[in-house]
Amino acid sequence: MNDAVVLITGARKGIGRYLAEHYVRRGAQVVGCSRSEPDWSLEHYTHFCVDVTHEADVRKMVTSIHKQFGRLDVLVNNAGIASMNHVLLTPAATAERIFATNVQGVFLLCREAAKVMQRRRYGRIVNVSTVAAPLHLEGEALYAASKSAVVTFTQILAREVAAYGITANVVAPTPIETDLIRAVPQEKIDAIINRLAVKRLGRFEDVANVIDFFVRPESDYITGQVITLGGVS
Amino acid sequence: MEITQQAVSRQQVVDIILAALHDVLEGVAAEATPALDENTRLIGRSAVLDSMGLVTLIVETEQRLEADYDIVVMLADDRAMSQTRSPFLSISALADYVMQLVVEQSV
């Protein structure tokens, strides 16, 4: 990863922060974004306060990255929001918010990143989905639907950008001890874990391991793929 | 992080499109690049590009306008697609459309 320029959305905390630190350790120049400033800093890490649903701000950020570093090698679309609720009790505003961040945000980042990546005929895009989609988890209909959209979007994107030397893949993590699941009752988490082949919560390292594989230069023949953690298929 | 608009002449826009088109053709064509000028067709039966080549040309033109002149435009929006005379018909038509967008942005 020496000298590679890596952009990670939702980098302020959780998986995003872990990935930022992980790729800095591996010698990359990492750029992260989130809606608010992180309470940490790192050498070889630059942060942008950007809401991924704002087209103009996303475009300006990617332009700044291109101007500053002259390239963008890797995009990890990690930013996402979840709202666990019964469909019958879910306000329309919640649905709009989830789809804006989880689908439109991914689309905007992929579009702008791919424009820059195509100039060097090289790029690696990894979008983050969830096991909530293949497991059809009750209470997560909108979240899972938005992440299913991410999978389909990525699979078609992969075909559209392949000629530019850009790959696009998906990692679908199991629940990990992050803010996203902190409010979920333990019995619900246990029920999910019981449906996995490997019966434990996910770890940040598990996610990074899959992303490491997708972003290797040698993985240029691997695109449009989904790797789901925990043995879910 | 506001992007300042700079004036650009139509000829400069034509030059950017020509340079972008030259690079795109060089990347895909096995034979020598054809002679290019303002009348070079970008779509239709006599076009020098296939559909993927046109996508690349549009992206390259947008990127170069931004890099060289700080001009941020989205060339392939709904409006462009609904024009009676396609802005992607020829280099001349595309340059006219870019200038139209630049003028509108500066008002």
Side-chain angles (χ1 to χ4, degrees), chain A residues 137-152:
Chain A
L137 294 180
E138 294 102 324
E140 301 191 15
L142 287 163
Y143 176 63
S146 72
K147 292 297 191 177
S148 291
V150 167
V151 170
T152 304

Side-chain angles (χ1 to χ4, degrees), chain A residues 160-211:
Chain A
E160 293 192 352
V161 299
Y164 298 127
I166 302 169
T167 65
N169 293 288
V170 174
V171 56
T174 59
I176 294 173
E177 192 62 43
T178 67
D179 287 356
L180 268 183
I181 68 157
R182 208 148 282 155
V184 180
Q186 189 57 46
E187 61 266 26
K188 184 154 190 212
I189 298 294
D190 291 342
I192 296 170
I193 290 173
N194 277 332
R195 294 180 65 187
L196 307 178
V198 182
K199 301 198 184 306
R200 65 166 170 83
L201 277 175
R203 302 181 185 120
F204 293 151
E205 294 90 330
D206 300 321
V207 182
N209 180 45
V210 173
I211 297 175

Side-chain angles (χ1 to χ4, degrees), chain A residues 1-176:
Chain A
M1 295 296 290
N2 271 352
D3 300 327
V5 179
V6 177
L7 171 58
I8 300 166
T9 69
R12 188 172 67 85
K13 59 184 180 179
I15 299 172
R17 177 179 178 176
Y18 178 87
L19 292 173
E21 293 169 346
H22 174 73
Y23 286 114
V24 164
R25 274 197 304 273
R26 296 191 63 194
Q29 178 63 53
V30 178
V31 179
C33 73
S34 61
R35 284 175 292 185
S36 51
E37 286 282 356
D39 58 3
W40 53 274
S41 63
L42 204 56
E43 203 178 349
H44 302 296
Y45 176 84
T46 310
H47 195 88
F48 285 82
C49 280
V50 165
D51 182 333
V52 295
T53 67
H54 290 176
E55 182 175 17
D57 290 349
V58 168
R59 197 165 177 165
K60 284 175 189 170
M61 174 176 69
V62 176
T63 298
S64 296
I65 293 169
H66 190 210
K67 281 184 176 167
Q68 188 174 348
F69 303 110
R71 61 198 277 187
L72 176 59
D73 302 288
V74 175
L75 165 66
V76 180
N77 270 309
N78 162 70
I81 54 172
S83 176
M84 286 146 208
N85 207 346
H86 195 286
V87 170
L88 303 189
L89 302 177
T90 303
T94 302
E96 284 175 16
R97 202 162 47 85
I98 290 173
F99 273 81
T101 298
N102 296 2
V103 182
Q104 184 168 317
V106 166
F107 152 65
L108 289 174
L109 263 300
C110 287
R111 186 188 73 189
E112 293 308 312
K115 285 179 183 176
V116 172
M117 289 170 173
Q118 65 85 24
R119 302 203 76 171
R120 297 182 70 244
R121 293 294 189 267
Y122 180 86
R124 297 281 179 266
I125 295 172
V126 182
N127 294 329
V128 177
S129 183
T130 172
V131 291
L135 290 180
H136 301 147
L137 294 180
E138 294 102 324
E140 301 191 15
L142 287 163
Y143 176 63
S146 72
K147 292 297 191 177
S148 291
V150 167
V151 170
T152 304
F153 171 78
T154 307
Q155 289 167 333
I156 296 174
L157 172 74
R159 290 175 169 271
E160 293 192 352
V161 299
Y164 298 127
I166 302 169
T167 65
N169 293 288
V170 174
V171 56
T174 59
I176 294 173

